[in-house]
Amino acid sequence: MRTSVAEAPPTPSAFPREIPIQYGTAILVLVLVVAPLLPVLLQSLLDGALYEDSYTFTLGNFAKLARTDGFGQVLINSVVLAGLTTLVAQGIGTLAAILFGRTDLPLARLMGELFLWPLYLSALVLSFGWYAVYGPAGYFTQIWDSLLGEAPWTLYSLGGMAVIAGVSQAPLAYIYCLSSATITDPSLEEAARVSGSGTFRTLWRITLPLMKPAIAYSAVLNFTVGLELLSIPLIFGDPAGITVLTTFLFNNGISSPRPDHGLVATAAALMLVVVCFLVWLQGRMLGNTRRFITLGGKASRPRPFRLGVLRWPLFILAALYILAAVIAPLAVLVLRAFTSFLSPMIPLGEVLTLANFVTIFDYPVYARSVWNSLIVSIVGGALATALVGLIAVIVHRSEFRFRGALSYLALFPRAVPGVVAGIGFFYAFALVPGLGSLRNSIWILVIAFTMRFIPAGIGAVAPMLLQVSHDLDRAARVQGADWWTTSRSIMLPLMRPALVGCFTILFISFFKEYATAIFLFAPGSEVIGTTLLQLWVQGEVGLVAALATIQVAVIALCIAAVRGIFGVKLHG
Amino acid sequence: MAELVIEGLTKRFGGVTAVDDVSLHVADGEFVTLLGPSGCGKSTTLAAVAGLDRADGGRITVGDRVYFDAARGIYLPPEARSCGLVFQSYALWPHMTVFDNVVFPLTLRKVSAADRRRRVMEVLELVEMAPYAARYPHELSGGQQQRVALARTLVYHPAILLLDEPLSNLDAKLRDRARAWLAELRTRLHLTTIYVTHDQIEALSLSDRIVVMNGGRIAQIGTPQDIYERPADPFVADFIGTTNFLPARVAGASAGRAQLELDDGQRLEVVAARPAEVGSRVTIAFRPEQMHVAPPGPADAAGSVLNTRVTSRSYVGGNWQVGLDLAGAVLRLETRQPPPEDVLRLWLPHAGGILFRGVADAAA
Ligand SMILES: Nc1ncnc2c1ncn2[C@@H]1O[C@H](COP(=O)(O)OP(=O)(O)O)[C@@H](O)[C@H]1O
Ligand SMILES: [Mg+2]
């Protein structure tokens, strides 16, 4: 030590390892993102099918689409449904954020938790739940009918669908409003209150205006989700003859015996362009919103507003909403799974049975879809988590020349609706020779789901990565560790909680995904979502309920486990 | 053993030039301190030497190895440089014990297991942290973390040692002890070292030479004594010690001496190394310890006596701190006797004040 002779740095590997890893990852992401988009865009410009030997470029598809009977109505329906959905979601979400986040409403915390449940469930399962309660032969509808005469509502309308979709998307508005400055920074309100402003006056004049950026941003987000929605229009719209863009794509691209590829691809391309624009708008708004949103939040909870005499009436109203919109659909769905027939007129004891579950596990097709879903979600989720971790480290912790481009590319799938991704991968796998065996396996689903949910995964990992001090990896570099060693020995262990959160989110997303899957599955590679839709078409309501119950149970178990073991928060 | 040569180093962040044409020669085994206010480019300079940031221009060599040369497009990544860098935040890896933190660089160098253990324990002994080898960083105090961070860089015998404000996260008492300990360690290690700090006491007490930086540029390079006694400009004078600046006009000059006239007409005489032009504006700087309250009677031969107005006085345990107004300039003085409430007769030495041309902005 005293006569320290400077030691040579560790012998560098002959070839810098980061180069193949970083470029390899970037190329992989590029292929994943471009693979479904290129065929769709190309096909929209061709007069024949992509896989035919000869074709010419044309803009004829666009003209043809415009002339297609009823396509104008399809567009109007899409916009109206998305618009109404947004209205419902924003109204409920904003109100809930104020009530559960800012007032002395009894049991506000518990109700806030319950309010978020639809976020964890697929809209498909939620639709079945609503059907079981409020459908034509639904549990509640029957009670109403027997007491008050014919029920005045129908789910088979744009309004009915918008209510279901709005309830399932209200948590998004709720989360954004909760994190807005007025909720996390009470000083703004307190100033108003000190100056003698009453509770409701302060809410109206201070709290709500300060939430505007959060409301506006989540509104665009919800409008986008509303446009991309497939399950609800498929279940309630199609029977009533109400077609939206997604069901138009589904019916013409999949169900139709002789699909017009040019037309389908053109509609898909149109949808892609619209959603791209909306996502771009979200990005811009988020930039403007940042200064209104305090990330992380304060440790101290602001003093809640006193509701006074309205405290209990509002509590009853909120409790009724939670009961009617969240608990009842789930509970009746689960109940239906355990019965042969469900009606308020028949005593429950007479119809209780496990037959639905027995059938599910007796028939290989149904059982297989459960196992496939589990494998896709566990193995696929793990693979996708590894990829997301790698992308995040390259984007945020490397000198990779194209890290900016990689970041943009990795977030791009936000702008690709599930339906479009499904059609795109379908084309891509049909076109590239040698992928035949992959096409009929669950791996095509793993690939498509991974592409779809890379942005969600990055959203779970990046914020945490940004909190890890740069000094920690720089210290390793100075001491002689190359980028890859640093990433493995220093960054990976530090990112573990974020990766657990990422895996959970990807597991749940993969497990409940159906929109992409229905374009891609083949006999043998069914997943729960696709089987649910098939059973639904066959009218097997009991089996639908049983399968949906399995999905809900697995997701609930997963969330409970992760919360209990790792204490990872999954939202906000 | 290595000497460090930095030539024309420049680093820009967007429109900001964080380091502007910095050249510095650190001899083998020399301990050089970069001193300057926050944001003056000290850390950026250090990061460029360590290879954490790629500079925009200039050259860095250590011994006969070229770390960086903008002109020839040479840039060694940090892992190929063999620098030891102690971060301001210590940057101990929270998921590893003290032992694992320190052994990491040896594992990278494929040192045999037995040697690894011996060397880690040896260096932990050196920093007096051997009993804590099994602890995790969060179980250590700030001072202990700082020692582990130092051990982690010393263990692999780096060619040069870079320390970025290693004491700044310690509380005042601990800092004094750590400084004494560092001073002792440095004479034992005899490593080529660049030490970064904004604390002039640390700089003065530890360094062979000090580099004072201002706005990305080098303001002065010199021994601690040079810097303290012969600051090159008012910025350095101000930064290195609490200094009082008096703007004045040269009223007369004779062999090595100058008569200065203040704005209110009072006069004083100073020893001037450089001849000053009669009629020009100058600034004269005094340290607080050079000024005192004049005894009654006329001025002695060694100094001038001036009348000042007392603007504030506060008792701070044993001493009085007095704020003075002298011809519009603000002066600070410490004295043991209770100062008068209105007019104070101030004694200023002929020799020891530092004369600058022009009006110092630091005096503002
Ligand atoms: N990564 C960076 N991006 C942009 N500006 C930076 C960055 N790092 C440092 N700077 C700027 O460069 C200047 C010098 O910073 P720094 O070297 O950290 O100062 P010091 O260590 O002397 O306090 C400051 O003005 C700082 O704002
Ligand atoms: Mg610094």
Side-chain angles (χ1 to χ4, degrees), chain A residues 1-2 4-10 18 469 471-472 474-483 485 489-490 493-494, chain B residues 1 52-53 78-80 82-83 85 87 89 91-96 104-105 108-109 119 126 152 156-157 159 188-189:
Chain A
M1 182 84 8
R2 278 127 309 257
S4 62
V5 175
E7 207 165 330
E18 57 261 35
S469 161
D471 286 355
L472 293 178
R474 292 172 134 206
R477 296 294 298 277
V478 172
Q479 292 177 12
D482 65 2
W483 175 79
T485 304
S489 341
I490 308 295
L494 291 175
Chain B
M1 298 261 106
L52 294 172
D53 275 331
E79 61 265 27
S82 175
C83 292
L85 174 55
F87 290 81
S89 61
L92 296 180
W93 299 306
H95 61 293
M96 297 183 182
F104 183 77
L108 290 173
R109 285 164 177 75
R119 281 173 63 176
L126 180 78
R152 196 176 62 176
Y156 59 95
H157 306 313
R188 274 211 272 162
L189 293 174

Side-chain angles (χ1 to χ4, degrees), chain B residues 25-335:
Chain B
H25 192 128
V26 184
D28 185 23
E30 194 181 18
F31 192 108
V32 168
T33 297
L34 300 185
L35 175 67
S38 176
C40 73
K42 307 179 298 284
S43 296
T44 307
T45 307
L46 223 52
V49 174
L52 294 172
D53 275 331
R54 189 174 180 148
D56 296 304
R59 220 176 105 85
I60 302 170
T61 56
V62 169
D64 49 9
R65 297 185 70 208
V66 180
Y67 278 8
F68 172 70
D69 190 338
R72 288 196 285 156
I74 296 175
Y75 165 77
L76 285 190
E79 61 265 27
R81 294 195 178 196
S82 175
C83 292
L85 174 55
V86 175
F87 290 81
Q88 192 168 359
S89 61
Y90 310 140
L92 296 180
W93 299 306
H95 61 293
M96 297 183 182
T97 61
V98 166
F99 185 91
D100 291 338
N101 263 280
V102 179
V103 84
F104 183 77
L106 297 183
T107 314
L108 290 173
R109 285 164 177 75
K110 306 205 163 51
V111 175
S112 74
D115 270 357
R116 282 207 299 260
R117 204 178 157 77
R118 181 183 54 75
R119 281 173 63 176
V120 170
M121 291 324 285
E122 210 174 87
V123 78
L124 285 179
E125 296 282 353
L126 180 78
V127 299
E128 296 157 26
M129 285 299 293
Y132 302 91
R135 297 257 188 113
Y136 280 91
H138 66 89
E139 297 168 327
L140 303 177
S141 72
Q144 292 171 328
Q145 289 183 23
Q146 181 241 336
R147 286 166 184 229
V148 174
L150 191 61
R152 196 176 62 176
T153 49
L154 293 179
V155 74
Y156 59 95
H157 306 313
I160 52 172
L161 182 60
L162 309 170
L163 303 161
D164 193 353
E165 313 219 11
L167 307 185
S168 67
N169 283 337
L170 306 180
D171 59 42
K173 224 176 176 170
L174 216 55
R175 188 155 42 201
D176 286 345
R177 281 203 357 234
R179 193 178 63 228
W181 178 78
L182 256 184
E184 194 245 342
L185 193 68
R186 125 179 162 64
T187 52
R188 274 211 272 162
L189 293 174
H190 213 70
L191 265 171
T192 309
T193 304
I194 298 191
Y195 184 94
V196 161
T197 182
H198 64 261
D199 181 313
Q200 69 274 28
I201 310 277
E202 278 172 32
L204 292 168
S205 60
L206 285 171
S207 321
D208 292 325
R209 281 191 302 153
I210 295 175
V211 179
V212 185
M213 292 184 67
N214 180 19
R217 295 178 153 273
I218 292 182
Q220 186 176 5
I221 304 183
T223 63
Q225 213 168 357
D226 272 341
I227 301 270
Y228 193 76
E229 289 171 3
R230 287 176 291 282
D233 62 27
F235 170 82
V236 177
D238 187 40
F239 194 77
I240 202 76
T242 325
T243 303
N244 298 289
F245 294 92
L246 272 177
R249 198 175 55 79
V250 182
S254 54
R257 289 183 168 256
Q259 281 77 43
L260 306 182
E261 187 180 284
L262 303 178
D263 290 351
D264 65 354
Q266 295 195 77
R267 288 191 169 215
L268 72 158
E269 185 175 305
V270 296
V271 176
R274 291 168 291 211
E277 198 181 315
V278 174
S280 66
R281 302 234 18 127
V282 293
T283 301
I284 177 94
F286 294 99
R287 297 178 189 291
E289 71 265 21
Q290 292 175 319
M291 319 189 299
H292 56 77
V293 181
D300 55 21
S304 322
V305 172
L306 297 129
N307 286 324
T308 63
R309 199 164 55 77
V310 176
T311 54
S312 68
R313 22 181 276 162
S314 51
Y315 185 69
V316 283
N319 278 332
W320 286 84
Q321 266 181 8
V322 193
L324 299 172
D325 177 277
L326 177 50
V330 177
L331 305 181
R332 303 222 163 272
L333 174 72
E334 284 210 353
T335 171

